[in-house]
């Protein structure tokens, strides 16, 4: 680990002002950043600690939703009675991630900003366009079992590792930010994470010096909420395929459905056409197949992860069968 300076921020604007300087990084729980620093994937010259800022509350909104401070720990968010009762998909997604010890440290904002677990991104001896733009993508012809099949480019096939972000995508969350001038911005989570394109090193729509202060959830949508995570082992593993589903159905017919996928792309993946094919449709194999076809349109495997195409289809079928069971 390389030497760095350390600063404790006394205000949000102070943290944002410090974060705009070259080589500066915000640190909260540090569950991802510290690992990357030890491996010299990240080599910040300055860390700005925001743990003392009053951003650790979960509050009701006038519209009937929740505002979740960026410093709310994953374990506290998953256990909050309001989240468990009204946003079960989010609580289940959080509990499916990492270990209890890490959830006790990891924060809401940090979870959204965590970086890919691509093996080649973590190995500084290998080319990685995300780590060193223009160096190449070793995963394209390498060991790519966990990599993306949707939204990829010739520059990057990494996936976003967050479980929480997938559930928040299904819930239409909004990310609230502040810059060094104290100006606030609200970013729909659909626009927060970026696909790799030819700039995979740019992962979010945050501007320099802009920091997350909270995430807002709208009132909960009707329906059964499920989070299904398929992985190589039962705990402490990242998703090969995950689905956050909110399905409103009755008497064998689907009124509406929301579907967000993890483990498939550089960002949580949600396809409006798939949801449209399920709306007002029978809860049967034909409808589930139609939705799966929409989700997988344009999907491409890279030899080692070809299995994700049928796995995505089977996982979606299983989730839809569970949520429409009468």
């Amino acid at each position: 680990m390389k030497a760095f300076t350390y600063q404790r921020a006394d205000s949000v604007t102070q943290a944002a002002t410090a974060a705009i300087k070259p080589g500066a990084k915000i640190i909260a729980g540090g569950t991802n950043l510290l690992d990357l620093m030890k491996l010299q994937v990240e080599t910040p010259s300055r860390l700005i600690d925001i743990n003392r800022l009053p951003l650790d509350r979960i509050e009701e909104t006038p519209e009937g939703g929740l505002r979740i401070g960026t410093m709310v720990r994953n374990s506290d968010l998953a256990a909050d009675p309001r989240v468990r009762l009204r946003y079960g998909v989010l609580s289940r997604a959080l509990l499916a991630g990492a270990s209890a010890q890490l959830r006790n440290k990891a924060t809401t904002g940090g979870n959204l900003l965590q970086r890919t677990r691509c093996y080649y991104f973590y190995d500084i001896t290998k080319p990685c366009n995300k780590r060193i733009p223009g160096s190449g993508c070793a995963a394209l012809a390498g060991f790519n079992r966990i990599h993306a099949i949707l939204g990829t480019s010739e520059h990057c096939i990494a996936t976003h590792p967050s479980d929480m972000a997938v559930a928040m995508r299904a819930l239409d969350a909004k990310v609230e930010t502040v810059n060094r001038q104290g100006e606030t911005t609200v970013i729909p989570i659909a626009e927060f994470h970026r696909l790799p394109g030819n700039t995979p090193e740019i992962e979010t729509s945050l501007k320099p010096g802009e920091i997350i202060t909270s995430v807002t959830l709208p009132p909960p949508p009707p329906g059964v909420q499920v989070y299904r995570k398929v992985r190589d082992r039962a705990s402490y593993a990242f998703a090969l395929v995950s689905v956050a589903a909110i399905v409103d159905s009755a008497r064998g017919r689907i009124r509406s459905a929301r579907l967000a996928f993890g483990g498939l792309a550089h960002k949580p993946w949600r396809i409006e056409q798939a949801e449209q094919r399920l709306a007002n449709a029978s809860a049967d194999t034909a409808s589930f197949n139609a939705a799966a076809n929409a989700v997988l349109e344009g999907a491409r495997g890279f030899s080692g992860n070809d299995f994700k195409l049928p796995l995505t289809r089977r996982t979606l079928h299983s989730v839809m069968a569970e949520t429409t069971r009468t």
Side-chain angles (χ1 to χ4, degrees):
M1 185 182 289
K2 296 187 176 181
F4 56 88
T5 59
Y6 173 83
Q7 173 186 351
R8 275 182 172 157
D10 296 319
S11 69
V12 173
T13 53
Q14 184 190 71
T17 300
I20 203 170
K21 297 175 182 177
K25 284 282 184 179
I26 297 288
I27 186 167
T31 56
N32 187 203
L33 179 58
L34 290 177
D35 283 343
L36 294 171
M37 290 173 65
K38 291 174 185 176
L39 295 170
Q40 296 189 19
V41 175
E42 294 268 17
T43 55
S45 57
R46 175 189 296 266
L47 291 184
I48 302 101
D49 187 340
I50 62 171
N51 278 284
R52 289 186 173 181
L53 301 184
L55 301 172
D56 59 350
R57 301 186 184 93
I58 304 172
E59 302 170 314
E60 299 276 352
T61 66
E63 299 77 23
L66 290 178
R67 176 170 288 106
I68 303 160
T70 192
M71 290 301 303
V72 173
R73 307 293 171 172
N74 286 179
S75 54
D76 292 335
L77 183 57
D80 186 278
R82 294 164 295 185
V83 174
R84 294 177 63 188
L85 178 64
R86 291 149 54 184
Y87 304 97
V89 66
L90 176 57
S91 183
R92 293 184 181 97
L94 286 161
L95 293 173
S99 65
Q101 292 92 333
L102 286 173
R103 292 194 297 269
N104 286 340
K105 286 293 292 180
T107 62
T108 299
N111 195 306
L112 289 176
L113 293 172
Q114 66 179 301
R115 308 200 69 186
T116 183
R117 264 50 181 195
C118 171
Y119 319 114
Y120 302 102
F121 173 71
Y122 271 73
D123 186 347
I124 61 174
T125 69
K126 301 296 190 295
C128 173
N129 288 318
K130 187 179 288 294
R131 184 168 21 84
I132 305 175
S135 63
C137 176
L140 283 167
F143 184 64
N144 48 39
R145 175 177 174 79
I146 66 170
H147 287 72
I149 59 172
L150 289 163
T152 59
S153 76
E154 61 182 4
H155 299 281
C156 183
I157 60 171
T159 58
H160 193 273
S162 173
D163 293 292
M164 183 196 79
V166 178
M168 286 187 169
R169 180 69 183 90
L171 291 166
D172 286 328
K174 294 182 178 179
V175 182
E176 300 180 1
T177 69
V178 167
N179 64 16
R180 59 179 174 167
Q181 285 83 32
E183 300 166 334
T184 61
T185 301
V186 177
I187 308 170
I189 197 166
E191 301 170 12
F192 183 77
H193 297 103
R194 292 167 50 114
L195 292 177
N198 58 8
T199 55
E201 73 279 9
I202 304 175
E203 299 174 345
T204 72
S205 58
L206 286 180
K207 299 178 177 64
E210 190 174 21
I211 65 174
I212 298 172
T213 54
S214 62
V215 177
T216 301
L217 301 179
V224 177
Q225 300 185 22
V226 168
Y227 186 75
R228 178 72 55 80
K229 182 176 181 179
V230 181
R231 45 189 163 174
D232 280 326
R233 59 181 186 271
S235 65
Y236 199 54
F238 296 97
L240 296 171
V241 176
S242 65
V243 184
I246 306 172
V247 181
D248 185 20
S249 67
R251 297 185 179 90
R253 293 198 68 82
I254 302 165
R255 296 192 186 100
S256 64
R258 298 187 185 195
L259 301 169
F261 295 80
L264 302 183
H266 203 255
K267 61 185 290 186
W269 195 257
R270 187 174 169 190
I271 297 296
E272 183 179 348
Q273 291 89 334
E275 297 174 2
Q276 290 174 347
R277 292 183 186 182
L278 290 170
N280 301 311
S282 298
D284 56 25
T285 299
S287 298
F288 304 163
N289 273 333
N293 291 340
V295 171
L296 292 170
E297 185 175 354
R300 173 195 173 193
F302 295 87
S303 183
N305 66 351
D306 290 348
F307 71 94
K308 283 194 175 187
L309 282 82
L311 181 60
T312 300
R313 188 177 296 276
R314 291 198 301 270
T315 305
L316 176 57
H317 273 252
S318 176
V319 166
M320 289 305 302
E322 179 179 350
T323 54
T324 57
R325 189 179 298 133
T326 57

